[in-house]
Amino acid sequence: QQQVKQSPQSLIVQKGGISIINCAYENTAFDYFPWYQQFPGKGPALLIAIRPDVSEKKEGRFTISFNKSAKQFSLHIMDSQPGDSATYFCAASRGTSGSRLTFGEGTQLTVNP
Amino acid sequence: ETGVTQTPRHLVMGMTNKKSLKCEQHLGHNAMYWYKQSAKKPLELMFVYNFKEQTENNSVPSRFSPECPNSSHLFLHLHTLQPEDSALYLCASSQDMFSGNTIYFGEGSWLTVV
């Protein structure tokens, strides 16, 4: 049962462009929504995270937009750089189950120079 | 430099072999996890340990056997695996089991079953 659906599966963006990755969830009990970045040969690393009490969180060029009523959240990468080329995973968890994360399927981002 | 170290990084084993994956975290965390990462699929949580006690077994076949001797070390013992078990196995840790704690991943162990 897929509780977090992520799209697109792959994304190609030109340097300087905006990369947008979307996720939708089903479980309204989820209360923590992180995004992980994974480079080839490495494990996933936390990029940015949000809780449902805010609609947007920005850290540098990375922004999470959160729509609680639609049960959707998205990652925006502004001024995308070739070094941003990686696989991005959205995830969700709920307090009562602790740190148990449910992941999306991942988006392979390629930023062309 | 990751605070979660996994060995070996690559492992090729036959279906009748017995091998183990090792994970060590240097972050002082109390919760440790095994995840399976297959191509085109979401990361799958396999096992969770909190203060050395197993708190979750996500319907994992018995040919995978975890062991957590202390809060810093986690093993995954493998025996009579199938080719479809070939994947990247990721170890992770977090401060504790509360939602919102950052989970730190190791670089993974690539497993190929022949």
Side-chain angles (χ1 to χ4, degrees), chain B residues 34 47 49 54 56-57 64-68 74-77:
Chain B
W34 279 116
F47 302 103
Y49 279 83
Q54 186 178 127
E56 186 159 351
N57 176 339
F64 295 92
S65 175
E67 178 189 2
C68 188
L74 186 65
F75 295 89
L76 187 62
H77 302 299

Side-chain angles (χ1 to χ4, degrees), chain A residues 73-109:
Chain A
F73 58 110
S74 60
L75 175 69
H76 296 239
I77 305 175
M78 311 300 288
D79 188 27
S80 299
Q81 299 297 312
D84 297 331
S85 297
T87 301
Y88 292 81
F89 295 92
C90 62
S93 68
R94 55 186 175 94
T96 56
S97 68
S99 302
R100 189 193 191 286
L101 287 173
T102 298
F103 283 88
E105 294 180 338
T107 296
Q108 187 169 351
L109 172 66

Side-chain angles (χ1 to χ4, degrees), chain A residues 2 9 31-32 36 38 41-46 51 89 93-95 97-101 103-105 108, chain B residues 9 33 35 37 40-43 45 56 58 88 90 94 96-107:
Chain A
Q2 178 61 29
Q9 189 173 12
D31 62 359
Y32 176 66
Y36 278 79
Q38 184 177 25
K42 302 291 186 181
L46 179 66
R51 288 197 178 273
F89 295 92
S93 68
R94 55 186 175 94
S97 68
S99 302
R100 189 193 191 286
L101 287 173
F103 283 88
E105 294 180 338
Q108 187 169 351
Chain B
R9 293 296 314 278
Y33 313 78
Y35 279 86
Q37 185 173 27
K40 309 295 185 184
K41 295 178 67 176
L43 278 75
L45 179 64
E56 186 159 351
N58 199 21
L88 178 67
L90 291 162
S94 64
D96 52 39
M97 288 294 295
F98 291 105
S99 177
N101 283 318
T102 299
I103 292 182
Y104 295 86
F105 286 87
E107 295 188 338

Side-chain angles (χ1 to χ4, degrees), chain A residues 6-13 19-22 86-88 105-111, chain B residues 40:
Chain A
Q6 183 172 347
S7 63
Q9 189 173 12
S10 62
L11 179 63
I12 299 174
V13 176
S19 303
I20 301 175
I21 305 172
N22 301 299
T87 301
Y88 292 81
E105 294 180 338
T107 296
Q108 187 169 351
L109 172 66
T110 301
V111 181
Chain B
K40 309 295 185 184

Side-chain angles (χ1 to χ4, degrees), chain B residues 9-102:
Chain B
R9 293 296 314 278
H10 299 272
L11 177 64
V12 179
M13 60 185 290
M15 290 189 287
T16 59
N17 292 160
K18 289 185 179 181
K19 298 286 185 182
S20 296
L21 305 180
K22 178 183 176 182
C23 176
E24 181 175 5
Q25 57 97 357
H26 312 277
L27 302 169
H29 290 166
N30 297 305
M32 296 189 75
Y33 313 78
W34 279 116
Y35 279 86
K36 176 183 179 182
Q37 185 173 27
S38 305
K40 309 295 185 184
K41 295 178 67 176
L43 278 75
E44 302 172 56
L45 179 64
M46 300 175 70
F47 302 103
V48 181
Y49 279 83
N50 192 36
F51 290 94
K52 302 187 299 179
E53 298 296 321
Q54 186 178 127
T55 59
E56 186 159 351
N57 176 339
N58 199 21
S59 301
V60 180
S62 59
R63 57 185 183 269
F64 295 92
S65 175
E67 178 189 2
C68 188
N70 54 63
S71 292
S72 298
H73 293 86
L74 186 65
F75 295 89
L76 187 62
H77 302 299
L78 316 168
H79 62 98
T80 60
L81 295 190
Q82 304 299 311
E84 59 264 30
D85 296 323
S86 298
L88 178 67
Y89 289 85
L90 291 162
C91 175
S93 71
S94 64
Q95 183 61 47
D96 52 39
M97 288 294 295
F98 291 105
S99 177
N101 283 318
T102 299

